[in-house]
Amino acid sequence: MNKITRLFNERGDRKLLSLYFCAGTPTLDSTAEVIKTMQKRGIDMIEVGIPFSDPMADGPVIQDAATKALKNGMNLQTLFNQLKSIKDEVSIPLILMGYLNPIIQYGIEAFCQSCVESGVSGVIIPDLPFKDYLDDIKPVADRYDVRVIMLITPETSEERIRFIDEHTEGFIYMVSSAATTGAQQSFDEQKQAYFHKINAMNLRNPRMIGFGISNKQTLESAQSNAAGAIIGSKFVQLLDEEKDANRALDRLFEALSK
């Protein structure tokens, strides 16, 4: 069974915590150690960012991480080799998050095959048009049992949300706002109304809420309105400052407690 599917099937009422970091940071060779440390510290699922020169959905923190990763020499083939080296040590789901261009250059079939060979359970492609997903990506990904996770925002129509829910597996990534990634201090009434509206739709897929989660208030708000929360920019910032995943996680857990 796909690890993403198993995680959501077996979680019960437990709220999940997923973290994002950019592969190739803080150093080219630290990716595997960051992943193993996160698993050891109880993180439920990890989004591994594929660095790209024009990350349009990302705020300055993740853009900076991608720039550093590219300068460090990270690319898709290197990332797959690193993940393959720890495949037998990682039991939690790994999801690659990256933009369409590098994946197309790598080749859709080759990409999905490499995902399987390196223990990757899913992929998030923010700039993937839904029609291209249905026509070109989904048939190949389904063959390799790789979950393609789609994003929805407060601007996504109910009709489109239901269409996404019908044609995807794993979970739906609920973007908390229409802005780029980055920490927020709280989720205002407008965002809360959006969360409640999606809850009332009784979707088939579980949801994870991401973008802007950096403290206890935003974490609890996300976890009370979905299966769990995804934290990106806050952890990326702390990892950049500490250059050590354990210390970065210590500071993250501290921030999430107040």
Side-chain angles (χ1 to χ4, degrees):
M1 181 186 294
N2 183 284
K3 288 180 182 178
I4 298 171
T5 303
R6 183 186 301 129
L7 174 64
F8 285 97
N9 284 350
E10 296 178 354
R11 74 179 183 93
D13 294 328
R14 185 171 65 87
K15 297 298 183 178
L16 304 177
L17 180 60
S18 177
L19 296 187
Y20 166 97
F21 81 106
C22 186
T25 60
T27 67
L28 177 63
D29 297 323
S30 61
T31 303
E33 193 58 41
V34 172
I35 290 170
K36 290 192 290 183
T37 300
M38 284 200 269
Q39 176 175 264
K40 187 177 179 181
R41 296 293 297 273
I43 301 306
D44 296 296
M45 184 164 59
I46 301 173
E47 291 178 17
V48 184
I50 304 167
F52 184 54
S53 56
D54 186 24
M56 64 182 186
D58 296 312
V61 171
I62 293 178
Q63 285 187 22
D64 180 63
T67 299
K68 289 175 178 175
L70 291 171
K71 287 180 179 177
N72 287 341
M74 179 52 72
N75 57 47
L76 253 181
Q77 188 59 65
T78 299
L79 174 56
F80 279 129
N81 290 339
Q82 291 178 350
L83 295 178
K84 192 181 296 185
S85 72
I86 58 168
K87 179 182 179 181
D88 295 336
E89 302 173 67
V90 179
S91 59
I92 63 175
L94 299 181
I95 298 174
L96 294 186
M97 185 167 188
Y99 293 86
L100 189 56
N101 187 283
I103 296 171
I104 292 293
Q105 289 187 9
Y106 193 89
I108 302 301
E109 183 101 21
F111 177 82
C112 291
Q113 183 173 344
S114 292
C115 282
V116 172
E117 292 171 352
S118 58
V120 171
S121 300
V123 59
I124 300 170
I125 310 172
D127 60 340
L128 173 62
F130 201 75
K131 186 178 186 305
D132 291 354
Y133 158 70
L134 289 176
D135 293 346
D136 303 324
I137 308 291
K138 186 178 189 302
V140 182
D142 285 352
R143 210 161 56 240
Y144 286 92
D145 198 28
V146 173
R147 302 285 183 262
V148 181
I149 308 302
M150 303 299 289
L151 292 83
I152 64 172
T153 76
E155 277 68 45
T156 309
S157 70
E158 182 171 334
E159 179 184 20
R160 185 172 177 83
I161 291 170
R162 293 201 181 279
F163 194 67
I164 288 171
D165 188 45
E166 182 183 348
H167 291 91
T168 60
E169 302 289 339
F171 69 94
I172 291 174
Y173 191 134
M174 281 180 64
V175 176
S176 66
S177 68
T180 57
T181 56
Q184 298 177 32
Q185 292 305 305
S186 64
F187 289 144
D188 59 24
E189 288 184 9
Q190 190 174 12
K191 293 185 180 68
Q192 296 288 346
Y194 158 58
F195 298 160
H196 296 158
K197 170 191 154 187
I198 303 302
N199 275 335
M201 291 178 67
N202 295 313
L203 299 176
R204 181 176 61 90
N205 280 298
R207 284 103 48 223
M208 296 284 286
I209 295 177
F211 283 48
I213 299 167
S214 63
N215 57 22
K216 186 177 182 180
Q217 197 276 349
T218 48
L219 175 67
E220 289 183 347
S221 178
Q223 290 186 327
S224 66
N225 286 286
I230 300 167
I231 298 176
S233 294
K234 183 69 174 180
F235 180 68
V236 170
Q237 174 193 341
L238 295 173
L239 186 60
D240 181 60
E241 292 173 0
E242 294 293 341
K243 314 299 184 199
D244 177 88
N246 256 316
R247 292 197 299 270
L249 285 166
D250 285 341
R251 289 182 59 191
L252 177 66
F253 292 147
E254 182 183 1
L256 296 176
S257 69
K258 57 187 181 182

